[in-house]
Amino acid sequence: MRYRIASSTFILVSAFFVAPRLLIAVEDSFQTNIRPILETKCFDCHSGSEKEGNVQFDGQESKLLGDKELWLRALKNVRSGLMPPHGSDPLSESDKTTLHQWIQKDVFQNDPTNPNPGKPPLRRLNRREYRNTILDLTGVDFNAEVVFPPDDTGFGFDTVGDTMSVSPMLLEKYIQAAKSIAEEAVPTQSYVMSKQEWKGKEFRSEDGKENGAGVRHDHETIIKNSFTVEHDGEYTISTVEKLDGSFEFHPGRYRVVCRLDGKELYSSDNKWEEDKLVRREFNIRLVSGKHHLEFDLRQLESDEHGIKAKDLAERFVTYQLMSVVVGGPRDPALWKHPKGFELFFAKDKAPDDPSSRKTYAAEVLRKFATKAYRRPASDASVDKLVAIAESIYSQSGKTFEDGIQKAVSAVLASSQFLYRIEPLEESDSSEISARIDEFSLATRLSYLLWSTMPDEELLDLASKRQLRAQLPTQLQRMVKDERANAFVESFAGQWLRASDVEKVSIDPIAAFGFQTEYKILRAKYSGKGKRFQPEGTPEDPEVERGIARLQELGKLRDRFDASVRSSMRKETEKSFEYIMRNNRSLIELIDADYVFVDANLAKLYELESVEGKGLRKVQLPAGSPRGGVLTQGTMLSVTSNPTRTSPVKRGLFLLDNILGTPAPPAPPNVPALEDAADKFGGREPSLRELLAAHRESALCSSCHSRMDPLGLALESFNAVGAWRDLENGAPIETAGELTTGERFANIQELKRILATGRRKDFYRCVTEKLFIYALGRGLEYYDDPTIEHLVDELDQNGGRFDVLLEGLVHSSAFQRRLKN
């Protein structure tokens, strides 16, 4: 202990003397190599009283040189060409290299041979991960999205550890969930009578129609199904039927005859009821083999006296078969293990001897806890779980399985299950970081790509310490596995905001430019037409035309209904999945000569010869503006306002999610965009004109000059993603210029610029997004060398997806963490 104290004291004393010398060396290097560059290129805007962006490069050098966040922003702006601004004297490649090396070496103190991987925050399972893990672990599909509160997000993702706090309410919900999952998953008996169960809709008529929503009393039909039993014996047949009808009484009557193998099982005369459930149960002897069960519905005479024919037509009586259960045989010698028994128990029955039973409980619980904890369960943990199980199954009237069920609920409520705990391997004491153990690596991989626990193959490799050696092979296997769909939906869904399109509020009628006309027509013709007029009223052609037009405009809502929104989300996911599974270039997310559409989207996108449901890859005609996420309905809709497009939101999306250069938050008291309309003397200006007037304010100009050209390039797409040529009757102008100087005439040219000259900005952006998602934390200055290395690798290898994924997984940030 004395040695440790002495060592710590030595380190502190050394740091006291070394830090000033280090700071002097950094300041000397700054004065010699960096200040001359800043004086000639940066001081005009960032020195003395000129502090644009609140950045000043002269003054207190000691404070300036310690501001790592400032130098990281400067480094990013120089790389992306934002600084020095377009039109100024640019930095030479030599100056850029000097600045980059000085920031990395002297300011950041990055050591390429011993990189700082950071210390990821403690992460618990989010709702998606919890649901998937429970399903894989227990076979129970637990709806975590309904039971647990929404996950908070950080940096755009719900995997960030710092947002994963656990409130007392959430802790209570975890305990309740563990109990209910264990009760559903773990059977409490070794053997039970077999049951076969069918929903009513599985019984169909001769013409194939199902019984799902019920059968009207006047629609005579026979619905039937078949089942097979293995053994001769006594069986129980149980049925549940629902008798219902319209809100108002109808005198209709009908008979239901149930037949088993052609013999009547029961007959029932029924009438109008209000949501009444009828349960029946019959004990019957069956021989092994196939049996046929049918329900014959026949109309009976009814007294309809005193009820108008019109009223009868609007009323009805229905019969609905809800379920049928065949249980048996009732002989216990022929009973079987209940559903899910083999998932938890290795023996047909627990031993009777108390010592052997305890040993078996330890075996069962060790196996389950090891899977749940994603690493071998310790002896101490298993002993505690066995004690819980023993305290239950030793009680009178309780089974061995009851005890295991209780212990399983304790596992599911434990921190070792809910949190991703990452022990370190032993390492050289001189290193600031150490590798996470292979079980932790397996967990990081599985939750990155599958949003669930590691499978047996990953855990087996980890137990043999062979996972790191087989990473390339395992990554290929995991990407091809259908469980990687979770990565597509989660990462691409949050990064590209595909998951938002089904919730965004858009008025399709306004989006297509007919909001005013629709309001006028509604005010004029609502409540008119034939069905609202007394019989014999002559038709008014003008009214009929107005009503027809009103109905025509109302159908525009179908262009953005729930099915279209779902297709939009799937299109974005499918585009990302296609690139991932086929190892194509990420650049195709920006510009591609194909789309994934079904009939819904093809109609909206004005693409011909696409019929039916299900997305398929469609080659675009030459010169099409479509292709890539920027012109997909998801991005165009989620970045629009409810009644119109928003070039500002669309520009912000491109800056944040494509170029990786997000604009700072708007300053307080910024005037609304619509306020600029006062400058046009009553004339309705275009959005381009409004934005130009808005940018006249110095408060707004710096940010809007970056956002607006990007957003205006997409103005040919309305708020639901459909193409348009006019806005308020005037041609739409899409030409613009990036702040880095590149000019474009339309969205096709902008996409080409982003996919070529600005491609490294995009590579850097997607790399940063994936790092945040995978590591569960925001990026720090010490991550910059790793990010830049990966960007260079992507650029040299055509932007292939596997280069990014393998680079991330092999990086120090993914495989290591700080010791303290």
Side-chain angles (χ1 to χ4, degrees):
M1 180 63 72
R2 266 183 280 173
Y3 170 77
R4 290 182 181 176
I5 294 173
S7 297
S8 301
T9 305
F10 174 76
I11 292 171
L12 289 172
V13 173
S14 299
F16 180 80
F17 288 104
V18 171
R21 291 202 297 270
L22 182 62
L23 185 59
I24 292 171
V26 173
E27 187 170 339
D28 287 345
S29 177
F30 172 77
Q31 296 293 347
T32 304
N33 301 314
I34 304 303
R35 186 180 178 93
I37 298 174
L38 299 179
E39 286 179 347
T40 57
K41 307 294 183 180
C42 307
F43 271 24
D44 285 348
C45 300
H46 300 292
S47 66
S49 60
E50 299 291 333
K51 295 192 294 183
E52 289 194 17
N54 200 31
V55 173
Q56 182 178 359
F57 284 127
D58 63 344
Q60 297 181 354
E61 269 76 10
S62 58
K63 181 179 179 182
L64 175 68
L65 301 182
D67 192 344
K68 292 181 174 61
E69 292 300 320
L70 168 66
W71 290 108
L72 181 60
R73 294 204 316 271
L75 187 57
K76 287 184 174 182
N77 283 334
V78 168
R79 281 189 192 130
S80 62
L82 293 174
M83 294 294 162
H86 176 63
S88 303
D89 187 16
L91 284 172
S92 67
E93 291 303 316
S94 174
D95 286 345
K96 289 180 182 179
T97 301
T98 299
L99 185 62
H100 175 271
Q101 292 177 347
W102 177 79
I103 291 175
Q104 293 290 359
K105 181 175 180 291
D106 290 357
V107 179
F108 294 167
Q109 298 292 304
N110 282 325
D111 180 1
T113 63
N114 193 11
N116 181 352
K119 188 174 183 179
L122 186 62
R123 298 165 67 180
R124 63 167 171 80
L125 304 183
N126 61 30
R127 293 190 303 178
R128 176 184 60 261
E129 295 166 343
Y130 185 97
R131 181 175 189 171
N132 293 344
T133 304
I134 289 294
L135 181 60
D136 288 347
L137 185 61
T138 68
V140 174
D141 188 6
F142 180 77
N143 197 342
E145 289 80 2
V146 171
V147 177
F148 300 148
D151 295 307
D152 290 330
T153 60
F155 308 100
F157 296 105
D158 61 6
T159 57
V160 173
D162 284 341
T163 68
M164 293 180 172
S165 59
V166 176
S167 65
M169 180 189 73
L170 181 56
L171 182 59
E172 184 177 341
K173 286 184 178 293
Y174 277 139
I175 295 172
Q176 293 172 348
K179 183 175 182 292
S180 66
I181 292 166
E183 288 174 351
E184 182 177 350
V186 185
T188 55
Q189 292 179 322
S190 298
Y191 291 93
V192 295
M193 186 172 67
S194 298
K195 286 185 179 181
Q196 299 181 66
E197 185 171 0
W198 302 270
K199 294 180 180 179
K201 66 181 180 181
E202 295 177 72
F203 285 72
R204 296 178 178 269
S205 59
E206 293 288 349
D207 58 3
K209 292 183 180 178
E210 65 179 38
N211 163 65
V215 180
R216 287 175 64 117
H217 77 285
D218 53 351
H219 293 179
E220 297 186 347
T221 187
I222 297 177
I223 56 176
K224 57 180 66 177
N225 202 355
S226 301
F227 64 92
T228 301
V229 297
E230 295 182 22
H231 305 280
D232 297 354
E234 297 292 327
Y235 288 80
T236 300
I237 298 179
S238 305
T239 64
V240 179
E241 304 157 294
K242 184 168 80 169
L243 313 181
D244 202 3
S246 55
F247 179 75
E248 295 182 287
F249 172 77
H250 187 288
R253 297 173 60 248
Y254 61 97
R255 175 172 294 161
V256 177
V257 179
C258 175
R259 301 185 184 93
L260 177 64
D261 297 329
K263 297 180 181 180
E264 183 175 312
L265 192 61
Y266 71 86
S267 176
S268 173
D269 289 353
N270 303 313
K271 57 183 178 57
W272 182 92
E273 298 283 358
E274 187 175 0
D275 202 15
K276 179 180 179 180
L277 291 181
V278 179
R279 304 177 188 274
R280 308 179 196 273
E281 186 172 294
F282 305 91
N283 295 324
I284 192 165
R285 183 168 183 82
L286 297 176
V287 298
S288 62
K290 192 171 186 179
H291 297 270
H292 304 277
L293 191 65
E294 66 179 34
F295 295 82
D296 187 350
L297 280 72
R298 290 290 177 261
Q299 184 179 6
L300 300 176
E301 290 187 9
S302 58
D303 182 9
E304 300 174 356
H305 182 71
I307 302 179
K308 295 180 181 181
K310 179 182 177 182
D311 292 338
L312 281 174
E314 295 176 354
R315 304 179 191 179
F316 54 88
V317 178
T318 60
Y319 169 87
Q320 185 176 4
L321 178 64
M322 303 298 290
S323 66
V324 174
V325 177
V326 176
R330 298 170 67 183
D331 181 0
L334 296 174
W335 287 6
K336 296 182 177 180
H337 291 310
K339 179 183 177 183
F341 184 88
E342 290 80 5
L343 186 63
F344 295 92
F345 303 101
K347 299 179 179 180
D348 288 337
K349 189 177 179 182
D352 294 327
D353 173 63
S355 177
S356 299
R357 176 171 282 216
K358 187 173 182 178
T359 300
Y360 179 47
E363 177 187 337
V364 168
L365 291 171
R366 184 181 298 277
K367 177 184 174 183
F368 179 78
T370 293
K371 291 175 66 178
Y373 297 160
R374 283 106 39 197
R375 66 179 55 257
S378 68
D379 291 341
S381 294
V382 173
D383 288 345
K384 291 177 182 178
L385 294 173
V386 170
I388 293 173
E390 192 176 23
S391 70
I392 301 297
Y393 69 63
S394 60
Q395 297 177 19
S396 175
K398 294 292 184 178
T399 66
F400 176 80
E401 291 80 9
D402 283 321
I404 297 299
Q405 184 186 93
K406 188 69 173 179
V408 165
S409 69
V411 170
L412 298 181
S414 70
S415 60
Q416 294 181 78
F417 171 72
L418 295 171
Y419 284 90
R420 291 165 53 177
I421 300 169
E422 299 181 333
L424 298 177
E425 294 181 346
E426 293 186 5
S427 64
D428 190 322
S429 60
S430 65
E431 294 183 322
I432 63 171
S433 67
R435 296 195 308 188
I436 57 175
D437 69 10
E438 294 218 350
F439 289 105
S440 300
L441 181 59
T443 296
R444 284 196 178 188
L445 286 172
S446 64
Y447 282 103
L448 167 62
L449 290 174
W450 293 344
S451 291
T452 190
M453 57 187 277
D455 63 1
E456 289 186 10
E457 185 168 340
L458 287 172
L459 290 177
D460 182 58
L461 288 171
S463 68
K464 298 174 182 176
R465 296 178 62 84
Q466 295 175 358
L467 179 56
R468 280 190 169 89
Q470 295 193 29
L471 269 181
T473 302
Q474 287 302 308
L475 285 177
Q476 290 179 15
R477 176 181 75 90
M478 295 178 74
V479 166
K480 291 177 181 178
D481 194 291
E482 65 177 11
R483 284 171 287 188
N485 291 337
F487 172 68
V488 174
E489 295 171 10
S490 178
F491 174 65
Q494 294 181 83
W495 166 39
L496 300 173
R497 296 189 60 189
S499 55
D500 294 341
V501 71
E502 291 175 303
K503 300 172 286 187
V504 67
S505 175
I506 299 284
D507 180 357
I509 295 174
F512 282 98
F514 297 109
Q515 183 181 31
T516 302
E517 181 185 2
Y518 185 72
K519 286 183 177 180
I520 292 172
L521 290 172
R522 281 197 63 184
K524 191 173 182 179
Y525 298 112
S526 181
K528 296 186 178 181
K530 286 182 181 179
R531 68 192 186 97
F532 295 102
Q533 303 298 329
E535 293 185 13
T537 303
E539 295 183 9
D540 184 335
E542 181 183 348
V543 172
E544 295 302 317
R545 285 194 298 270
I547 292 173
R549 177 60 175 165
L550 185 62
Q551 292 172 343
E552 180 185 358
L553 293 180
K555 290 179 180 178
L556 287 175
R557 293 194 180 95
D558 296 338
R559 305 283 295 275
F560 196 62
D561 64 8
S563 65
V564 176
R565 292 168 183 253
S566 176
S567 296
M568 287 180 172
R569 174 183 58 79
K570 292 175 183 175
E571 178 193 16
T572 301
E573 292 171 356
K574 189 69 175 177
S575 300
F576 185 87
E577 180 191 359
Y578 177 71
I579 291 170
M580 177 186 77
R581 294 197 191 278
N582 294 280
N583 197 24
R584 297 178 69 88
S585 174
L586 290 163
I587 288 296
E588 291 179 22
L589 288 172
I590 295 179
D591 195 12
D593 59 0
Y594 59 85
V595 289
F596 288 93
V597 294
D598 55 11
N600 278 335
L601 282 183
K603 183 178 179 181
L604 185 69
Y605 292 175
E606 299 178 359
L607 298 174
E608 298 178 354
S609 304
V610 180
E611 302 293 337
K613 298 180 180 179
L615 270 65
R616 81 263 356 222
K617 184 184 174 188
V618 174
Q619 202 70 23
L620 290 169
S624 172
R626 301 286 177 181
V629 297
L630 303 188
T631 55
Q632 291 178 354
T634 49
M635 196 287 293
L636 296 166
S637 299
V638 300
T639 56
S640 291
N641 290 326
T643 60
R644 64 166 176 81
T645 61
S646 174
V648 174
K649 290 181 181 179
R650 289 176 174 180
L652 274 172
F653 178 93
L654 265 70
L655 288 176
D656 191 21
N657 296 296
I658 302 299
L659 293 171
T661 54
N669 303 318
V670 173
L673 179 63
E674 287 74 11
D675 292 350
D678 298 339
K679 301 178 181 180
F680 294 89
R683 175 176 67 84
E684 185 173 4
S686 66
L687 272 177
R688 178 178 284 271
E689 290 174 321
L690 275 177
L691 287 167
H694 191 69
R695 286 196 302 273
E696 291 176 2
S697 166
L699 191 64
C700 309
S701 178
S702 61
C703 291
H704 278 273
S705 63
R706 295 171 59 194
M707 299 182 294
D708 295 355
L710 295 168
L712 289 168
L714 292 161
E715 272 297 275
S716 291
F717 300 94
N718 69 17
V720 297
W723 182 265
R724 61 179 184 170
D725 293 304
L726 303 175
E727 180 197 11
N728 298 328
I732 293 174
E733 298 179 38
T734 58
E737 180 181 353
L738 302 184
T739 52
T740 47
E742 298 93 335
R743 295 177 180 271
F744 54 88
N746 49 40
I747 184 58
Q748 293 96 319
E749 291 187 10
L750 174 59
K751 287 196 294 184
R752 279 195 289 272
I753 291 170
L754 297 177
T756 55
R758 311 308 308 178
R759 68 183 182 278
K760 292 190 74 171
D761 292 335
F762 173 66
Y763 290 151
R764 187 174 297 108
C765 179
V766 65
T767 301
E768 291 178 349
K769 297 292 183 182
L770 186 57
F771 255 64
I772 293 169
Y773 179 84
L775 299 179
R777 63 171 174 82
L779 295 175
E780 302 291 346
Y781 68 90
Y782 45 75
D783 297 313
D784 189 70
T786 303
I787 298 291
E788 282 311 294
H789 171 72
L790 266 181
V791 170
D792 290 338
E793 288 291 305
L794 280 169
D795 197 42
Q796 293 166 19
N797 290 277
R800 293 200 326 269
F801 177 79
D802 69 342
V803 173
L804 174 59
L805 182 61
E806 288 189 23
L808 164 70
V809 168
H810 283 93
S811 70
S812 173
F814 193 85
Q815 296 216 16
R816 305 174 71 90
R817 68 177 177 86
L818 291 175
K819 294 178 180 178
N820 297 308

